[in-house]
Amino acid sequence: MKKRTLGFWEIWNMSFGFLGIQMGFALQNANASRILQIFGADVHELSWFWLIAPLMGLIVQPIIGHYSDNTWTRFGRRKPFFLLGAVLASVGMIFIPQADFMIAILPALWVGAGMLMIMDASFNIAMEPFRALVADNLSDEQTTKGFSIQTALIGIGAVIGSWLPWVLSNWFGVAQTSPDGSVPANLLWSFVIGAGVLIGSILVTIFTTKEYSPEELQQFENEKSHHTTVADDGIVRKAKLSDIFEDFKKMPETMRQLSWVQFFSWFALFGMWVFAVPAIAQHIYGLPSTDSSSETYQEAGNWVGILFGVYNGISAIFAFLLPAIAKKFSRKKTHAYSLFIGGIGLLSIYFMPNEDWLILSMVFIGIAWASILAMPYAMLAGSITPKKMGVYMGIFNFFIVVPQIINGIIGGPLVKYAYNNEAIYAIMVSGVSFIIAGILAFKINDKKDLTLKHD
C-alpha cells in the first residue's frame, strides 16, 4: 500500500495553517525588539530577552513531537496539538503589546517578556505537528513539493505580518507613535489582527485535511502498532518519553550532517531578527543607540517590517521554483548556493547608501530563507521512518534552537563591548555564518537526490 498522490490544492489546504503561524512569527520578529525597547530594554539586552524563543523550542518541540507520534484521538493525530498551540499563541499575541496594563503589579518589560514566552511556546506547540503532518501525508516523491508549498504559505503569511503595521499607519491613519511611551496603536492592532488570522488559518487545515489512520500508517511501513516500539531484542514495548534520548543517539547520518548546516543558518537568522531594527536605525538612519522612541526610530522600525516582508515575499515566490531547481541540481547544492546568496545579502547591508537599497539585500536573503524552510526538511523526511516522524522533527529543532541560545547569550555582550553598541556588526557576523552553512551543505549525504521525481 502506498500513500496516494495529493493535488496542489490538497497540499495547499493541508499547509494553510502555516500562513497564520508565520504571520504571528513575522509580527514578533519585526516588532518584538521594538516593543521591548519601548518598555525599557537596552540594545545589548535584547538578545537575552530573545533567548525565550529558542529555549521554548528546545523544551517543547521534542516533547510535542513524541506525544503527537503516540497520541490518537477521534479528532486526529496532529490536529489537536496545533489547534491548542494556535489558541495559546493568539492569547500571547493579543497581550504582548498591551503589557503595560499590568504595570501596577509588574514592570511592563517583564510582562512583555512573559507574553513573548507564551507566544513562543505556543508557536512551537503548533509548528512541529504541522511539519510532521506534511511528512505523514506525502510520499517521498512529493515531500519536496509539499515543503515548498508550505514555504510559499509561510512567505505569504510573513509578508502580511511584516507589512501590517506600516499598512495600518499609512493607509488607514492608525497612529504609529504614542505620546505616553506605550506601544503605538498600529502595532497593537497588528497583533490583534494577527491572532485572528492565526486561528482562522488553522481551522482551514483542520476542516479540509484528513489524516491517515493508525491502520493505514501501519500498512505503509508494516509497523507493529502506532503506539509501540520494537526493541533490538524483538520485544514489543510501549513508547515512553525517555525514548527521545535514545532516538537522539540513533539519529540518521543525513540528520547529523544537516545539524551543522542548521546550526550556522539559524545562528545567522537569530542575529538578523534581534538586531535588524537597531542596526538599521543606527547605520542607515543615523540614530544614536540610546534612541528608541523618536518618530524617526518608529519610521525605521516600520521600514524594517517592510524589508522583512520583502524577503518573505521573495521566499514565497522562490519556493515554487525550488522543486524544479532541486531536481536539476540536487537538493543539497540548491540549499548551499541559496545560503551563499543569503550571506551576500546580509553583508551588503553595511554598504547600502540608503534605506531603499536595502530592498536588494532582502531579495538575496529571501532566497536563502525559502531554501532554509524547505530543503532541510525535505532531505530529513526521506531519511527517517514515519513512526518516528514527529519526534525526529522535534529533535531536529535542537539544531535550530541551540545556535539561537548561543547567539542570545553572546550577542548582546558582543554588541556592547566588541562593537561599541553598533548593532550593524552583528548583522555582518550573521552574513558570514550563512556562508559557512553553505559550505557545510555540500557535505550532506542526501541519498534520494538522484531518485526523487517531482510532479
Side-chain angles (χ1 to χ4, degrees):
M1 182 176 178
K2 292 184 65 177
K3 295 176 183 177
R4 70 182 185 90
T5 300
L6 301 187
F8 175 86
W9 291 112
E10 290 178 294
I11 300 175
W12 177 275
N13 289 335
M14 179 174 63
S15 301
F16 195 76
F18 247 109
L19 183 147
I21 293 173
Q22 198 60 33
M23 182 174 174
F25 259 127
L27 283 164
Q28 173 184 300
N29 290 342
N31 300 293
S33 288
R34 180 165 34 152
I35 290 172
L36 292 173
Q37 282 191 284
I38 289 172
F39 289 150
D42 292 329
V43 172
H44 69 272
E45 296 173 334
L46 292 176
S47 64
W48 295 339
F49 284 105
W50 274 77
L51 277 173
I52 296 168
L55 283 172
M56 288 299 99
L58 185 66
I59 297 168
V60 171
Q61 285 214 18
I63 296 173
I64 293 298
H66 171 83
Y67 281 114
S68 72
D69 278 345
N70 297 283
T71 302
W72 292 89
T73 72
R74 63 191 183 94
F75 301 108
R77 184 188 195 188
R78 313 292 184 185
K79 291 178 184 179
F81 291 94
F82 53 70
L83 178 60
L84 173 64
V87 171
L88 294 176
S90 297
V91 172
M93 290 179 67
I94 290 171
F95 285 106
I96 188 172
Q98 304 180 75
D100 53 350
F101 81 103
M102 291 187 65
I103 197 168
I105 304 173
L106 291 169
L109 180 59
W110 291 104
V111 178
M115 291 299 108
L116 183 63
M117 181 180 69
I118 292 173
M119 285 172 58
D120 278 307
S122 305
F123 283 142
N124 280 291
I125 291 172
M127 182 175 293
E128 188 284 328
F130 241 116
R131 294 204 185 278
L133 177 67
V134 174
D136 286 344
N137 282 8
L138 297 179
S139 62
D140 288 342
E141 290 77 14
Q142 286 198 299
T143 52
T144 301
K145 182 177 182 179
F147 284 114
S148 295
I149 291 174
Q150 187 179 95
T151 298
L153 283 162
I154 287 172
I156 294 169
V159 170
I160 298 170
S162 298
W163 287 2
L164 190 55
W166 186 91
V167 168
L168 290 178
S169 177
N170 289 271
W171 292 4
F172 297 98
V174 181
Q176 69 173 3
T177 58
S178 177
D180 59 0
S182 59
V183 174
N186 68 325
L187 279 187
L188 191 155
W189 281 107
S190 294
F191 276 83
V192 172
I193 293 169
V197 173
L198 174 56
I199 295 292
S201 63
I202 290 286
L203 291 176
V204 168
T205 293
I206 287 175
F207 288 123
T208 62
T209 301
K210 178 182 179 297
E211 295 187 73
Y212 283 116
S213 68
E215 294 75 21
E216 288 170 319
L217 287 177
Q218 184 177 340
Q219 287 181 297
F220 294 143
E221 289 297 309
N222 193 27
E223 295 175 353
K224 297 286 185 181
S225 169
H226 69 272
H227 62 277
T228 60
T229 300
V230 182
D232 293 337
D233 56 8
I235 298 174
V236 177
R237 60 184 178 84
K238 190 172 182 178
K240 304 188 300 295
L241 185 60
S242 59
D243 290 343
I244 293 174
F245 301 103
E246 188 67 23
D247 294 331
F248 189 94
K249 291 191 295 184
K250 294 181 178 180
M251 74 175 73
E253 178 190 18
T254 298
M255 186 172 174
R256 292 183 187 277
Q257 294 166 336
L258 280 166
S259 68
W260 288 104
V261 179
Q262 292 290 86
F263 181 94
F264 286 99
S265 299
W266 287 88
F267 187 94
L269 289 167
F270 187 85
M272 179 183 72
W273 291 332
V274 173
F275 294 111
V277 171
I280 289 173
Q282 297 166 16
H283 190 69
I284 302 297
Y285 286 79
L287 297 177
S289 61
T290 54
D291 188 344
S292 61
S293 59
S294 69
E295 185 170 355
T296 301
Y297 177 85
Q298 300 301 338
E299 289 176 2
N302 286 342
W303 186 244
V304 169
I306 294 295
L307 294 174
F308 279 19
V310 169
Y311 89 69
N312 281 291
I314 293 298
S315 76
I317 296 169
F318 190 65
F320 288 110
L321 305 177
L322 279 173
I325 296 173
K327 184 177 181 180
K328 183 175 179 61
F329 296 106
S330 85
R331 295 190 292 203
K332 69 177 182 181
K333 289 182 180 179
T334 299
H335 193 42
Y337 289 125
S338 297
L339 290 168
F340 289 152
I341 292 170
I344 293 170
L346 282 168
L347 292 171
S348 71
I349 292 174
Y350 184 89
F351 303 98
M352 293 304 180
N354 57 54
E355 64 272 19
D356 295 328
W357 277 94
L358 295 176
I359 292 174
L360 180 60
S361 301
M362 294 299 130
V363 171
F364 288 177
I365 294 168
I367 290 172
W369 181 230
S371 189
I372 289 168
L373 291 175
M375 289 296 103
Y377 296 98
M379 288 185 276
L380 177 67
S383 69
I384 55 182
T385 175
K387 74 175 181 180
K388 292 287 187 180
M389 190 65 68
V391 71
Y392 271 126
M393 286 289 181
I395 291 172
F396 196 53
N397 195 57
F398 286 171
F399 312 119
I400 292 175
V401 301
V402 169
Q404 294 182 71
I405 291 171
I406 293 173
N407 197 338
I409 293 171
I410 69 174
L414 283 173
V415 168
K416 182 176 182 179
Y417 298 109
Y419 311 150
N420 194 29
N421 281 323
E422 294 186 40
I424 186 63
Y425 293 109
I427 304 297
M428 299 299 96
V429 171
S430 292
V432 173
S433 188
F434 260 163
I435 292 172
I436 294 172
I439 294 170
L440 292 172
F442 282 114
K443 299 181 179 295
I444 298 170
N445 181 23
D446 184 15
K447 296 178 181 178
K448 294 185 180 290
D449 249 333
L450 299 178
T451 60
L452 278 178
K453 298 178 293 183
H454 306 287
D455 296 338

